[in-house]
Amino acid sequence: MFPLHPWMLIGTAGGAIPIIIHLLNRRRFKTVRWAAMEFLLASLKKNYKRVRMQNLLLLLLRVLIIMLMAVALSRPMLPQSGMFDAIARPGRHAVIVVDKSLSTRYQQGDQTTFDRIQSVAGSIINSLGEGDVVSVLGMSDIVEPVIEEPTSDLAQARRIVERMNPGWGGSDVRGTLEAVADLLERTADEKPRKDVYLVTDMQASGWGEKDQPPSDELAAALEKIGRSAGLFVVDKGPAVRHPENLAVVALETDSNVIGVGRRVTLTAKVHNFGTAAQRQVDVNFFVDNFNQGERRIEEIEPGETESVAFSYSFNEKRPYLVHVRINDDLLPADNVRYLALNAGDAIPVLLINGRVADRPRDNETYYLERALKPPRGADERPLSNISPTTWDEFELAARDFDRFNAVVLANVASISDSNTVNRIERYVRLGGTLIVFLGDRVSVDSYNTQLFRDGDGLLPAELGDESVIDPETARGRHLIFERDPTYPGFRTLCDVSREILEKFVVFTGHIKAAPVEGATVAARFEGGDPAVVAKSYGSGEVILFTSSAGTAWNNLGDTGSLMMMMHELVGQVAVGDIDRRNLIVREPYQHIFEPGTRIEQVRITPPGDLGRPASLTPFDQDRAPRIVFEDTRIAGPHKLEFSMRAGADPMADEYFSVNPDPEQSDLRRYSMEEAREILDGFEFQYTTDAEELHLRVKESRSPRDIAQALLFVVLGMACLELVLGRQFGR
C-alpha cells in the first residue's frame, strides 16, 4: 500500500486524543471512603467488568475513527487482488500511442514494422483488466485521436486498432507527448492511475535533433506526464540502428513550361540513405502508367544522390501523370515518385510599351519581345513556349487583360485611372503576375499614389529619386545578386547566367526604392540600392525592376541577359502551376478558377480510395470559385473530376500528385540513451520484447484507491459509536 498524499498520515497521531482525554478524566476523581458507599461498591463490583468493556469499546471506536479518517485523506492505493477488488474502485487509464509514420512501412521478414506495432498495441489492450479504460492516439506529422475519450469497451478498442493503417508522413514524438499530457489533464478525474505506452520504431527524425533542447511546452508536458503517469517506450523497429534504404527524392523537368510537341527532359534523383553502396539500380520512367524506358545507375555511394534523365515529347494538350520507379527494397513506399503536368499552349504574356518610337528598336518593349519570343531554331521548332503580345499604354485601360498569365509594364509613365488600378489589383490577387520595369518616363509621385499607397498597394517598394550616371564621365554600376535569394524567380539561375548578369551588364540609371516589410530583395546594385524587389499580393506576384527594360539605363538587351532573366521569371508563372499540382504529404491542394467559371462540383479521388466531393468557396469579392482540399495524407496521384453547371463548357479531368517528404526516407534510429537525452533525462521504461512488455503491463495493474471505502467505514463506525454511547449512557 502507498498513499498519494503521505503527509496526511500525520493525522493518525490524532488517535491518541481519546486516550489522553480518558486518562485525564480518571485523574479528576478523588477516592473518599464513607460507610454508606459500601453497599454501592458491592453493587458496582457485580457490573465492573461489563462497564469496563463498554468503555474500552467506545475508546477503541473513537481512536479508530480519527486514525482511519487520516488514512482515508491520504488516498491509500493497494495492489489489485481478489480481496481488494471487492471493496475498491477500479482505476487505470492506459494511453496507447501507435506510430503510423512512413518508416513503419519497412518490411521485417513477413511483417512490416507497423504490423508489429499494431500487434503490440493489441497485446496491451488484452492485458488490461475489468474496469480499466483505454485511449488510442495515432502518431504521424500530426497527432490523430483514434480513441480520444477513454473507453472501457476493450473489445471495440482492439477492433479499432486492428483496422488502423500506416501513414505516409513523418512522426513527431515531442508534439505527441504534448498531446498526451493534454489528454491526461483533461481526463484527470477518470482514473487514479495512468500509463502511457509509446509504441514506435524509434526513427531519429521523429524525435528531433539531440542538440535541440526541449521547448517550454515539452518540458511542461513531461512534468505533467511524470506527475500522473508512467511512460513505457516500446521499440519495434528493425534490429539495426541504421537500416539500408534507397529512395526517389525528386522528379523534375528542365523547363517550367510544358509546350505541346516540345521535348522535355525529366530528371529523377535517387538518394542512398544507408551505410553501404548500392549497385545496379534500375530506374523506370512511366507516362500515364505506360513504361517509356529504363535507365541504370551503376552505383550510389552512402549518403550520395545520383540523377538519371529521360526525354519525352508531350504531343497533346492535356494533363499528364508521370512517375519513376526504382527496384523494390525493404521500404517500397519511397521507391516511386509522381509528377503531375499540364501540357498546353504557349504562356500568354502582355507587354505594355511605355515608349513608342518610329524605329522598332527604340521601343521600350523591343528587347522584351525578342527575349520572350526568340527566332526559331534550325529545325524550325520554337525555342520558347511563351507568346508575348504588345499594347501601347493607353490600351491598358480600354482592353481586357485577364487571359494573360503575366503583365509587364515597361517604362509606363503613370496609371492615373483608378478603375485600371483596381482591375490590375484584381488580376494579381486572383493569381496573375505583374512585372514592372521603371525608366526615365515614370512619374514617381503617380506610382507611389496609385500603385504603392503607403504599402497597401501593388508595389513592393516606395519609389524615390532617380540615380543616373553619365557614362561619359563615370563607370556604370553592376548588378549584385543576393547569394542566398529567397525569391524563387532567381533560385534556378545557373552560374553562367549570374556571371553574365553580374559582370557584363552595366547599369547607368535606376530609381531608388524602399522595400516594404515582407518584400524580398532578390538583387542589388553596387552600393546597396535594390535592383529587383518582389512580393506576394493575394494569390499573385509583383516583381519590380528599378531600372529600365530598354537600353536607356542599361545594356541588358544587348548582352542577351534579358532573355535568360525573363524566361526565368515568366517560367516561374508555370512553376506556380507545377507546385500547385505536386505536393508533399499534408500540404493542402488549392486551385482558384477564373471568375465566372461555372463549376457545380469537384470530385477528388485519392489512390485506392473512393472519390469525395471538395468544397467550392468564393475566393474574394469577384466570386472566383476556389477549391481547397486538405486531406492529402495519402501519397500518390489524385484525380479531379469536374461537374459543370447546365450550359457550361466541359472541363477535362486533371491530376495532382502527393509525394512523401524525402526526409522520412532516412531510417536512422535512436537508442534508449539518445531518446532519454532528447527528453532531457526524463525517465521512462524501455523495452523491445513483447513478452517482457506483457509482464510489465501485468505487474503494473492499477492499484486500487480505497479512500472511498475507508470513508464509508469511518461513517459506519461513527454511527455505531453514537448508538453505543447512547445505549451505554456515555
Side-chain angles (χ1 to χ4, degrees):
M1 183 184 77
F2 61 92
L4 292 182
H5 309 299
W7 57 272
M8 293 297 295
L9 293 177
I10 298 174
T12 57
I17 295 175
I19 298 174
I20 294 172
I21 293 174
H22 175 74
L23 294 176
L24 290 176
N25 284 337
R26 289 187 63 183
R27 295 182 60 185
R28 285 170 48 196
F29 299 101
K30 182 178 180 181
T31 302
V32 178
R33 290 186 174 274
W34 54 291
M37 285 297 297
E38 294 300 325
F39 299 103
L40 293 175
L41 288 174
S43 175
L44 287 174
K45 285 180 180 179
K46 293 180 181 180
N47 300 317
Y48 176 74
K49 290 184 178 180
R50 178 174 59 82
V51 173
R52 186 179 181 188
M53 290 300 298
Q54 290 175 349
N55 288 337
L56 288 177
L57 178 59
L58 290 176
L59 180 63
L60 179 62
L61 283 174
R62 291 162 182 167
V63 170
L64 288 176
I65 287 172
I66 295 175
M67 295 185 69
L68 288 178
M69 177 67 76
V71 172
L73 293 177
S74 72
R75 296 284 303 277
M77 311 294 291
L78 290 175
Q80 289 193 30
S81 69
M83 177 182 68
F84 294 123
D85 282 351
I87 63 171
R89 182 166 61 95
R92 179 162 62 162
H93 177 196
V95 180
I96 303 174
V97 178
V98 176
D99 187 347
K100 51 179 296 187
S101 57
L102 175 76
S103 60
T104 64
R105 293 176 176 268
Y106 188 85
Q107 198 73 31
Q108 299 187 54
D110 59 350
Q111 287 187 315
T112 65
T113 299
F114 185 79
D115 292 334
R116 301 177 66 183
I117 289 173
Q118 202 172 30
S119 175
V120 168
S123 177
I124 293 171
I125 296 175
N126 290 336
S127 300
L128 298 178
E130 183 181 353
D132 291 335
V133 296
V134 63
S135 297
V136 179
L137 302 178
M139 180 174 70
S140 60
D141 313 81
I142 61 175
V143 181
E144 301 177 11
V146 181
I147 305 176
E148 188 170 19
E149 292 301 319
T151 178
S152 59
D153 190 344
L154 302 182
Q156 176 67 8
R158 278 193 299 271
R159 288 191 292 269
I160 292 175
V161 168
E162 289 168 0
R163 290 197 297 265
M164 292 180 67
N165 293 306
W168 293 90
S171 58
D172 180 8
V173 173
R174 299 180 187 224
T176 300
L177 291 176
E178 292 175 19
V180 167
D182 290 340
L183 174 61
L184 294 176
E185 191 171 39
R186 291 198 308 272
T187 60
D189 297 330
E190 184 69 32
K191 298 293 177 182
R193 172 66 186 269
K194 303 176 188 297
D195 290 324
V196 178
Y197 301 92
L198 174 58
V199 194
T200 176
D201 63 355
M202 298 293 289
Q203 185 185 17
S205 61
W207 290 79
E209 297 297 329
K210 286 186 283 188
D211 57 355
Q212 179 185 355
S215 63
D216 293 340
E217 293 78 8
L218 178 59
L222 293 175
E223 183 181 355
K224 291 178 185 176
I225 294 173
R227 190 169 57 242
S228 61
L231 176 61
F232 296 83
V233 175
V234 188
D235 181 1
K236 300 309 295 179
V240 295
R241 285 293 166 198
H242 198 152
E244 301 298 326
N245 186 41
L246 282 177
V248 184
V249 295
L251 179 57
E252 303 167 342
T253 63
D254 66 338
S255 173
N256 299 329
V257 183
I258 309 299
V260 175
R262 294 187 65 222
R263 189 158 289 276
V264 177
T265 299
L266 297 103
T267 302
K269 297 181 179 180
V270 183
H271 188 84
N272 183 359
F273 287 95
T275 58
Q278 302 293 322
R279 296 176 176 82
Q280 296 185 341
V281 180
D282 295 326
V283 185
N284 287 273
F285 172 63
F286 297 82
V287 176
D288 293 336
N289 290 323
F290 291 99
N291 195 327
Q292 303 295 329
E294 180 181 281
R295 301 283 189 275
R296 170 166 288 184
I297 302 174
E298 291 300 329
E299 186 175 35
I300 308 178
E301 293 292 335
E304 297 297 324
T305 301
E306 295 292 339
S307 300
V308 60
F310 299 89
S311 182
Y312 190 81
S313 180
F314 298 91
N315 294 320
E316 298 179 43
K317 180 185 175 182
R318 64 176 179 86
Y320 287 86
L321 187 63
V322 177
H323 75 274
V324 293
R325 184 182 295 275
I326 61 174
N327 321 46
D328 276 344
D329 55 13
L330 295 179
L331 184 60
D334 59 7
N335 293 344
V336 61
R337 201 159 192 89
Y338 290 89
L339 184 66
L341 301 172
N342 193 28
D345 297 330
I347 296 178
V349 175
L350 176 61
L351 307 177
I352 305 299
N353 184 13
R355 186 197 306 275
V356 180
D358 294 333
R359 287 196 318 162
R361 193 180 189 89
D362 294 333
N363 285 329
E364 192 73 23
T365 56
Y366 174 77
Y367 289 103
L368 286 173
E369 294 168 11
R370 294 180 62 83
L372 294 174
K373 197 70 174 178
R376 291 178 178 265
D379 58 358
E380 291 301 315
R381 288 191 176 186
L383 298 179
S384 170
N385 202 49
I386 300 173
S387 175
T389 299
T390 303
W391 293 352
D392 293 339
E393 59 181 300
F394 67 86
E395 294 180 85
L396 184 63
R399 301 177 66 177
D400 180 23
F401 47 82
D402 284 345
R403 66 183 180 88
F404 295 96
N405 286 39
V407 174
V408 181
L409 305 180
N411 203 8
V412 174
S414 65
I415 303 178
S416 56
D417 179 32
S418 60
N419 183 55
T420 303
V421 173
N422 292 336
R423 290 171 57 219
I424 296 175
E425 289 181 347
R426 169 181 168 275
Y427 163 80
V428 177
R429 191 169 58 249
L430 294 178
T433 298
L434 177 66
I435 302 173
V436 181
F437 283 91
L438 303 179
D440 54 0
R441 298 190 67 249
V442 166
S443 168
V444 169
D445 291 339
S446 175
Y447 269 58
N448 285 336
T449 301
Q450 295 290 341
L451 298 180
F452 180 70
R453 295 208 318 270
D454 294 327
D456 295 329
L458 287 163
L459 286 184
E462 184 177 14
L463 304 185
D465 298 331
E466 288 186 7
S467 177
V468 180
I469 298 173
D470 184 356
E472 299 293 331
T473 59
R475 182 179 68 86
R477 302 179 181 89
H478 289 284
L479 194 66
I480 306 297
F481 275 95
E482 298 293 311
R483 286 302 168 186
D484 185 20
T486 56
Y487 179 65
F490 292 104
R491 190 179 298 159
T492 55
L493 272 175
C494 65
D495 292 338
V496 175
S497 302
R498 290 172 62 131
E499 183 177 352
I500 292 174
L501 286 166
E502 293 184 355
K503 290 187 177 180
F504 299 102
V505 178
V506 177
F507 292 82
T508 58
H510 68 276
I511 293 177
K512 294 185 177 183
V516 297
E517 184 178 355
T520 299
V521 179
R524 297 181 184 272
F525 297 111
E526 289 178 312
D529 285 348
V532 183
V533 189
K535 80 167 185 178
S536 297
Y537 188 86
S539 293
E541 196 84 19
V542 181
I543 305 157
L544 171 67
F545 285 80
T546 58
S547 190
S548 64
T551 57
W553 282 356
N554 59 67
N555 63 341
L556 269 173
D558 292 335
T559 62
S561 302
L562 187 63
M563 181 180 70
M564 292 180 287
M565 190 163 57
M566 289 305 296
H567 272 264
E568 288 287 347
L569 290 172
V570 176
Q572 189 62 33
V573 175
V575 167
D577 185 66
I578 290 177
D579 289 345
R580 176 180 63 82
R581 296 173 185 271
N582 297 279
L583 310 171
I584 299 297
V585 170
R586 298 285 182 189
E587 286 184 349
Y589 173 79
Q590 175 175 290
H591 182 56
I592 302 173
F593 298 89
E594 294 182 2
T597 304
R598 302 177 65 187
I599 297 178
E600 183 71 32
Q601 188 183 66
V602 179
R603 192 171 187 81
I604 297 179
T605 306
D609 199 355
L610 299 176
R612 63 193 73 169
S615 59
L616 280 164
T617 57
F619 177 62
D620 68 352
Q621 63 266 28
D622 298 293
R623 311 300 292 179
R626 173 180 65 170
I627 57 173
V628 178
F629 184 74
E630 297 184 346
D631 189 13
T632 57
R633 66 182 186 275
I634 302 175
H638 291 58
K639 183 179 180 180
L640 290 89
E641 300 169 281
F642 303 98
S643 298
M644 310 303 293
R645 294 179 181 174
D649 295 333
M651 290 181 64
D653 296 344
E654 292 189 12
Y655 296 95
F656 69 90
S657 73
V658 179
N659 291 295
D661 187 341
E663 291 184 4
Q664 302 310 318
S665 297
D666 186 352
L667 302 181
R668 286 179 302 119
R669 304 184 335 106
Y670 278 151
S671 64
M672 176 185 68
E673 292 76 14
E674 290 171 314
R676 188 165 283 130
E677 179 183 346
I678 285 174
L679 298 183
D680 201 23
F682 181 80
E683 288 296 326
F684 56 81
Q685 296 190 55
Y686 173 89
T687 184
T688 61
D689 184 18
E691 288 300 323
E692 180 185 354
L693 174 66
H694 184 76
L695 291 175
R696 290 190 184 186
V697 175
K698 286 292 187 181
E699 290 171 358
S700 68
R701 287 295 302 276
S702 306
R704 305 289 188 167
D705 184 354
I706 63 171
Q708 185 175 355
L710 286 178
L711 288 175
F712 279 116
V713 171
V714 168
L715 180 61
M717 294 176 68
C719 293
L720 179 62
E721 191 275 341
L722 181 63
V723 172
L724 291 179
R726 289 188 176 183
Q727 182 72 26
F728 299 157
R730 288 177 288 277

